[in-house]
């Protein structure tokens, strides 16, 4: 399993066009934006979790704060191009739940549906889990200075 992961990482490091770096930056900014929007609209999340049967306030609060922190911190680090694969791996389960559990049961064809944005962000996270940071990243700058 580790051999497969290291081969995927090596392939991603050697086959990374520069335009993907701009897409990574947009993905990171989108995650930051969604994390801030989530923090501002925290009451809607609380209602959703209470309706789902996840009862205790402590668990709802922990999940909400974890989602906000991962989106904002992960988005910032993905934008800068450091620890991209790690934060993609940490945020993917949140987006899978958002796509399947939160957005899919709603009317996905209604105007301004979050379903399509969640799907695009999920696809971007999977892409950068494989591709990694790229040329325009803090880690590449650090490596070239050494």
């Amino acid at each position: 399993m580790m051999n497969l992961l290291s081969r995927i990482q090596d392939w991603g490091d050697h086959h990374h066009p520069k335009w993907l770096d701009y897409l990574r930056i947009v993905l990171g900014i989108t995650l930051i934006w969604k994390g801030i929007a989530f923090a501002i609209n925290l009451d809607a999340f609380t209602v959703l979790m209470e309706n789902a049967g996840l009862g205790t306030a402590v668990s709802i609060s922990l999940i909400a704060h974890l989602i906000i922190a991962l989106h904002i911190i992960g988005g910032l680090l993905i934008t800068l191009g450091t620890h991209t694969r790690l934060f993609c791996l940490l945020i993917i389960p949140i987006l899978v739940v958002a796509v399947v559990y939160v957005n899919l049961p709603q009317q996905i064809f209604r105007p301004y549906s979050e379903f399509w944005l969640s799907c695009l962000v999920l696809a971007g996270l999977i892409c950068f889990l494989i591709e990694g940071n790229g040329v325009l990243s803090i880690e590449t700058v650090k490596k070239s200075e050494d």
Side-chain angles (χ1 to χ4, degrees):
M1 182 68 175
M2 290 303 291
N3 187 25
L4 176 66
L5 290 176
S6 65
R7 285 193 345 221
I8 290 172
Q9 183 176 1
D10 288 342
W11 184 89
D13 289 341
H14 291 88
H15 297 87
H16 193 93
K18 193 176 272 189
W19 65 267
L20 272 178
D21 289 343
Y22 299 114
L23 190 62
R24 186 199 76 235
I25 292 167
V26 169
L27 175 68
I29 292 169
T30 303
L31 286 169
I32 294 168
W33 168 60
K34 290 306 288 180
I36 292 169
F38 190 81
I40 291 170
N41 299 314
L42 201 55
D43 55 333
F45 178 76
T46 304
V47 170
L48 179 72
M49 288 295 107
E50 287 173 350
N51 291 340
L54 186 62
T56 65
V58 173
S59 61
I60 293 172
S61 179
L62 286 175
I63 291 170
H65 286 87
L66 179 68
I67 291 171
I68 292 167
L70 280 174
H71 273 69
I72 294 173
I73 295 168
L76 178 65
L77 293 178
I78 289 170
T79 300
L80 295 174
T82 182
H83 304 295
T84 299
R85 287 187 175 111
L86 172 65
F87 278 95
C88 285
L89 189 63
L90 292 174
I91 298 172
I92 284 173
I94 296 170
L95 263 292
V96 168
V97 169
V99 168
V100 174
Y101 180 71
V102 177
N103 292 321
L104 198 56
Q106 297 176 0
Q107 299 170 355
I108 62 172
F109 295 112
R110 70 186 165 116
Y112 314 113
S113 174
E114 290 283 323
F115 175 76
W116 303 110
L117 177 63
S118 296
C119 287
L120 286 172
V121 171
L122 180 60
L125 289 170
I126 293 169
C127 172
F128 290 107
L129 178 66
I130 296 168
E131 287 291 330
N133 295 323
V135 180
L136 300 175
S137 68
I138 288 179
E139 288 188 5
T140 304
V141 171
K142 283 197 293 187
K143 286 179 187 177
S144 65
E145 289 177 356
D146 292 340

